[in-house]
Amino acid sequence: MTHYFTREEAEKLLPEISVILENIQAAHRGIGESENELEALRLQAMGNGHHLHERITQAQKNLATNIQQLQIQYAQLEEYGCELKDPSIGLIDFLSERDGREIYLCWHLGETGINFWHYPEAGFAGRQPL
């Protein structure tokens, strides 16, 4: 059965969800850093790169750890029943109803509360104040 959030229900979850979103962003940054390091090491290895084995192995381990952390954080976020729309800004939607129609209560990291909503087909660009 579909759960429709009230604004109050969704806002009560924001402190916990904020921590998860910050962890997701940190894991994304870690993945990017590991990928950049691996690419730089790959380019170095094209020359005389036999001495890079340990650094490559460590970068691969860091990448795997960040991917695993990301998967854990996504699973935790999913348990709250909200939808992650954009991890880079921590954008979350909560399914709700307005005038008998499904809508999303829209929030992202840095906002003090849930102050916007939009129809599912409108997306972030169609946000309207509550």
Side-chain angles (χ1 to χ4, degrees):
M1 184 165 164
T2 303
H3 175 74
Y4 295 104
F5 286 89
T6 65
R7 182 181 190 180
E8 293 74 27
E9 284 177 317
E11 284 186 333
K12 283 182 185 177
L13 299 176
L14 293 181
E16 296 169 43
I17 287 173
S18 294
V19 172
I20 294 170
L21 289 172
E22 289 167 357
N23 291 338
I24 286 172
Q25 289 178 334
H28 270 281
R29 282 190 302 275
I31 289 168
E33 290 167 5
S34 295
E35 288 174 339
N36 289 341
E37 183 178 6
L38 283 167
E39 179 60 18
L41 291 170
R42 185 188 69 78
L43 292 173
Q44 282 182 323
M46 292 174 78
N48 186 7
H50 63 82
H51 65 287
L52 300 173
H53 178 71
E54 285 181 36
R55 286 178 58 198
I56 291 170
T57 300
Q58 186 58 50
Q60 289 171 332
K61 285 180 184 177
N62 291 344
L63 179 60
T65 298
N66 280 302
I67 290 170
Q68 182 181 28
Q69 259 317 306
L70 192 60
Q71 291 169 334
I72 290 167
Q73 297 302 315
Y74 278 152
Q76 286 180 345
L77 189 60
E78 195 172 276
E79 290 176 14
Y80 286 94
C82 56
E83 298 179 29
L84 179 62
K85 298 297 183 171
D86 184 346
S88 66
I89 63 169
L91 180 61
I92 297 289
D93 281 345
F94 297 89
L95 187 61
S96 188
E97 279 187 306
R98 183 181 181 109
D99 300 326
R101 269 189 81 184
E102 285 189 346
I103 65 161
Y104 283 118
L105 300 173
C106 186
W107 176 85
H108 67 77
L109 277 173
E111 292 182 331
T112 57
I114 298 175
N115 298 312
F116 298 94
W117 69 278
H118 62 81
Y119 291 113
E121 64 276 4
F124 184 78
R127 287 188 353 152
Q128 301 176 42
L130 284 169

